Amino acid sequence: MPYYKHFIFALISTVGFSILFNVPKRSIFYAGLTGGIGWTVYMYIKALTLSSSFSIFLASIIVGVLGEIFARIDKKPVTTFVIPGIVPLVPGYTMYLSMVNLINQEFYTAVKLGTEAVFTSGAISVGIIIVTSVAKIIKIKKDPNIKAKELSQES
Amino acid sequence: MTENKKKSILRIALYAGEIMLKNGAETYRTEDTINIMCRSKELKHVNSFVTPTGIFISDDRLDGISFIKRIKSRTINLSKISDVNNFARKFIKDDISEMDALLELRRIDKKGKYEKYTRTFFTGLASAFFSLLFGAGLTDFILAFLISMVAIRVNWKIERLSNTSFLAKATSGALISFLALISKSIGFGESIDMIIVGSIMPLVPGVALTNGLRDFISGDLIAGATRVAEAVLIAISIAVGVGTILKLWVHLFGGVF
């Protein structure tokens, strides 16, 4: 499947999830863009490096950065864009499969898939947290007068 | 500062925190919002302790007052989080009376979601396009669209009636696999896996697991443990629903795969 198709499908899918998550009307397009770009980057890097966790990690950094940018543009908290943005990357299906295998007493597959799910969501969380922390540091550097504590409000 | 003044600030901060937490805000964001709101009104010694199932706020001076709020259910509603965020900023800057602040928060709390049919339609769209991302064909795309809409409606209905999400998730999981099997056996669907991948997407706890790990990494260990446990429980309940139907089907009609 060509990358532009991946981008369009992921974008529409993310827009659908944004409605489910009740994202404010004006921000829906930005949220969809975040998800679409995140997924396309993931597919591209996965084809290059063949490592799933690493490409998820890079993609979620991109999602985090886009979230920060759109939050500045749209004056909304970063969560509004990051939560829909990570939906295509998140290992919900893997986790479900792991539990199905557990119930069917296929313990080896269950543990394998479960570990994969934890690794994937760990990579996403680390990626997002890195971006949030760096954004906070940049903000303090720019304006040393504000206390670090008060910043976290806006991020 | 009088005790009543203190109490009213704590009450407003608690209500703001409650709305944020109920609608899926991260733990650290909720704690920060509560602390900043209190600090901006000269309440310097406030501690807040937030877990996904409850909020504790206390002023640790001698006349310390504490407030506790139990949180029973959590969904994701990002527009309310954004509204509370704006409210908190306004509250910090301006002098808002207790009554006005509580009324404003109540307005945010009661705010509706998108129209029910809009949400159903877009859930179907999200699921259908998700199955395309996994490489489904056209018939599976249509089936995922239809089945996920039915499943999410059933999920909402049962969630409203019963306060544990186990039953709702298990039933919708069972319904998804049942409909997928039926459509396959009448010769319409191509691959059961693809239909299930798409339709199950709005139910699976991927975001919950990721948020749990985010809490773990930022040091909110209790919140992280709670969220991860919740995610595992949801995954188990869907698997129970889907698995039961698949097993029954194989027993009754033999394999259709």
Side-chain angles (χ1 to χ4, degrees), chain A residues 9 12-13 16 20-25 28 39 76 79 90 93 95-96 99 104 121-122 125 152-153 155, chain B residues 29 32-33 36 77-79 82 113-114 122-123 126 129-130 133 197 206-207 209-210 213-214 236 242 247:
Chain A
F9 293 163
I12 298 175
S13 186
L20 193 63
F21 294 159
N22 231 37
V23 171
K25 259 198 199 97
I28 286 176
W39 174 263
K76 293 267 154 50
T79 330
V90 131
Y93 185 65
M95 206 164 154
Y96 150 78
M99 291 304 147
N104 289 333
S121 39
S125 343
S152 39
Q153 244 286 269
S155 58
Chain B
R29 185 190 298 279
D32 282 354
T33 308
I36 293 165
N77 187 333
L78 296 171
S79 117
S82 155
K113 296 180 173 175
Y114 286 106
F122 275 94
T123 307
F129 277 93
F130 213 92
L133 281 182
V197 168
V207 174
L209 182 68
T210 308
L213 287 175
R214 261 166 92 184
I236 288 180
V242 176
K247 272 263 149 54

Side-chain angles (χ1 to χ4, degrees), chain B:
Chain B
M1 190 184 289
T2 63
E3 199 173 314
N4 273 340
K5 186 88 197 305
K6 265 189 194 173
K7 269 187 191 162
S8 79
I9 293 167
L10 284 179
R11 196 170 292 134
I12 293 166
L14 182 71
Y15 196 10
E18 184 198 343
I19 297 174
M20 291 184 83
L21 197 60
K22 261 201 306 206
N23 293 297
E26 304 96 319
T27 311
Y28 76 88
R29 185 190 298 279
T30 316
E31 278 182 1
D32 282 354
T33 308
I34 292 171
N35 288 347
I36 293 165
M37 281 172 78
C38 292
R39 211 176 298 127
S40 74
K41 300 292 182 215
E42 306 296 316
L43 238 65
K44 301 280 185 205
H45 304 282
V46 168
N47 270 305
S48 63
F49 174 59
V50 174
T51 73
T53 48
I55 304 179
F56 309 77
I57 308 180
S58 140
D59 182 3
D60 66 359
R61 296 279 100 170
L62 267 182
D63 60 342
I65 323 161
S66 316
F67 281 86
I68 298 178
K69 192 87 190 181
R70 173 83 165 93
I71 310 288
K72 279 259 163 81
S73 64
R74 292 161 297 281
T75 54
I76 300 182
N77 187 333
L78 296 171
S79 117
K80 283 187 188 174
I81 297 179
S82 155
D83 283 353
V84 174
N85 219 46
N86 290 340
F87 167 81
R89 266 185 227 172
K90 208 169 70 189
F91 182 82
I92 292 163
K93 261 194 240 136
D94 313 332
D95 219 9
I96 308 176
S97 76
E98 186 197 357
M99 208 56 219
D100 286 350
L102 286 177
L103 279 177
E104 171 74 11
L105 283 173
R106 172 167 292 269
R107 191 188 60 75
I108 295 172
D109 196 12
K110 290 271 177 282
K111 213 170 115 180
K113 296 180 173 175
Y114 286 106
E115 204 54 35
K116 201 162 52 176
Y117 296 104
T118 321
R119 269 187 299 151
T120 317
F121 175 75
F122 275 94
T123 307
L125 214 61
S127 312
F129 277 93
F130 213 92
S131 68
L132 280 187
L133 281 182
F134 278 88
L138 185 65
T139 46
D140 291 348
F141 170 80
I142 298 167
L143 281 174
F145 179 70
L146 297 174
I147 292 175
S148 65
M149 289 204 293
V150 176
I152 200 79
R153 287 305 287 273
V154 169
N155 182 34
W156 287 339
K157 271 263 152 55
I158 298 177
E159 245 171 20
R160 196 141 29 94
L161 297 175
S162 112
N163 40 21
T164 50
S165 68
F166 178 82
L167 186 66
K169 293 286 191 305
T171 320
S172 359
L175 194 67
I176 286 174
S177 58
F178 183 64
L179 290 175
L181 283 167
I182 288 224
S183 51
K184 170 86 181 178
S185 60
I186 60 170
F188 190 56
E190 281 167 41
S191 144
I192 290 185
D193 277 343
M194 283 302 146
I195 304 170
I196 292 182
V197 168
S199 324
I200 228 167
M201 225 35 221
L203 304 173
V204 291
V207 174
L209 182 68
T210 308
N211 278 343
L213 287 175
R214 261 166 92 184
D215 279 342
F216 261 130
I217 296 171
S218 10
D220 298 315
L221 298 180
I222 290 185
T226 319
R227 281 191 214 265
V228 170
E230 194 186 19
V232 170
L233 196 71
I234 295 175
I236 288 180
S237 39
I238 301 172
V240 165
V242 176
T244 313
I245 294 292
L246 286 181
K247 272 263 149 54
L248 268 181
W249 188 278
V250 172
H251 263 292
L252 293 179
F253 304 105
V256 283
F257 305 100

Side-chain angles (χ1 to χ4, degrees), chain A residues 3-22:
Chain A
Y3 288 117
Y4 74 89
K5 266 192 179 172
H6 273 291
F7 175 71
I8 294 169
F9 293 163
L11 190 144
I12 298 175
S13 186
T14 315
V15 165
F17 276 109
S18 317
I19 304 261
L20 193 63
F21 294 159
N22 231 37

Side-chain angles (χ1 to χ4, degrees), chain A residues 82-113:
Chain A
V82 166
I83 298 267
I86 58 174
V87 162
L89 305 173
V90 131
Y93 185 65
T94 321
M95 206 164 154
Y96 150 78
L97 273 187
S98 155
M99 291 304 147
V100 167
N101 280 296
L102 197 64
I103 288 171
N104 289 333
Q105 301 194 321
E106 307 266 351
F107 293 116
Y108 177 73
T109 328
V111 171
K112 194 171 149 250
L113 288 168

